[in-house]
C-alpha cells in the first residue's frame, strides 16, 4: 500500500481511538518494513517517508544519527520516543 494511502487511512480513522491506533501501528509497521530500521521508521512517521528518502539520498547514508538535514522537530522526536520507551521498560 502506498504511503499516501496509509496516511489517508490514519486520517480517516482519527475519530475512533481503537481504529486510529491500529491504523497508526500498521503504518509504523509499513515504515519499519520499508526502511528496515527503527530510527528511520520513527523519523519517517514524524516527518514523512518521502522526506526521509530524499534526505538519505542527498546525504548518502542510512544511518539515522548521521542524517543532519532532518527537521529539528524530527531530530528531537526520535530520541524522545526512545527515552519514553526506556522509561516505560524500566519504571
Amino acid at each position: 500500500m502506498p504511503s499516501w494511502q496509509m496516511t489517508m487511512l490514519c486520517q480517516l480513522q482519527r475519530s475512533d481511538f481503537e481504529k486510529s491506533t491500529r491504523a497508526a501501528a500498521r503504518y509504523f509497521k509499513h515504515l519499519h518494513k520499508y526502511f528496515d530500521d527503527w530510527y528511520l521508521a520513527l523519523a519517517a512517521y514524524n516527518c514523512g517517508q518521502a522526506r526521509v528518502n530524499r534526505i538519505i539520498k542527498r546525504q548518502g547514508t542510512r544511518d539515522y544519527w548521521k542524517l543532519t538535514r532532518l527537521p529539528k522537530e524530527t531530530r528531537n522526536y526520535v530520541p524522545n520516543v526512545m527515552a519514553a520507551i526506556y522509561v516505560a521498560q524500566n519504571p
Side-chain angles (χ1 to χ4, degrees), residues 6 9 14 19 38 42 48 54 58 77 85:
M6 296 292 284
L9 182 63
R14 283 187 180 173
K19 285 182 181 179
W38 287 114
L42 278 169
R54 269 194 315 272
R58 286 181 186 160
Y77 176 78
I85 291 168

Side-chain angles (χ1 to χ4, degrees), residues 6 9-10 13 16-29 45:
M6 296 292 284
L9 182 63
C10 288
Q13 296 179 348
D16 183 309
F17 178 75
E18 185 176 342
K19 285 182 181 179
S20 64
T21 301
R22 290 181 189 278
R26 280 193 304 272
Y27 182 51
F28 190 57
K29 183 178 178 180
Y45 188 83

Side-chain angles (χ1 to χ4, degrees), residues 16-85:
D16 183 309
F17 178 75
E18 185 176 342
K19 285 182 181 179
S20 64
T21 301
R22 290 181 189 278
R26 280 193 304 272
Y27 182 51
F28 190 57
K29 183 178 178 180
H30 159 78
L31 291 171
H32 180 259
K33 186 176 179 180
Y34 181 84
F35 286 108
D36 194 30
D37 182 274
W38 287 114
Y39 298 128
L40 293 174
L42 278 169
Y45 188 83
N46 183 256
C47 73
Q49 182 177 345
R51 190 174 206 175
V52 171
N53 276 330
R54 269 194 315 272
I55 292 168
I56 287 171
K57 188 175 180 178
R58 286 181 186 160
Q59 292 197 246
T61 183
R62 292 182 47 81
D63 183 347
Y64 168 80
W65 301 106
K66 293 180 181 177
L67 296 176
T68 58
R69 296 185 184 258
L70 287 169
K72 184 178 180 182
E73 178 183 326
T74 302
R75 289 192 316 261
N76 292 331
Y77 176 78
V78 173
N80 287 342
V81 170
M82 299 308 295
I85 291 168

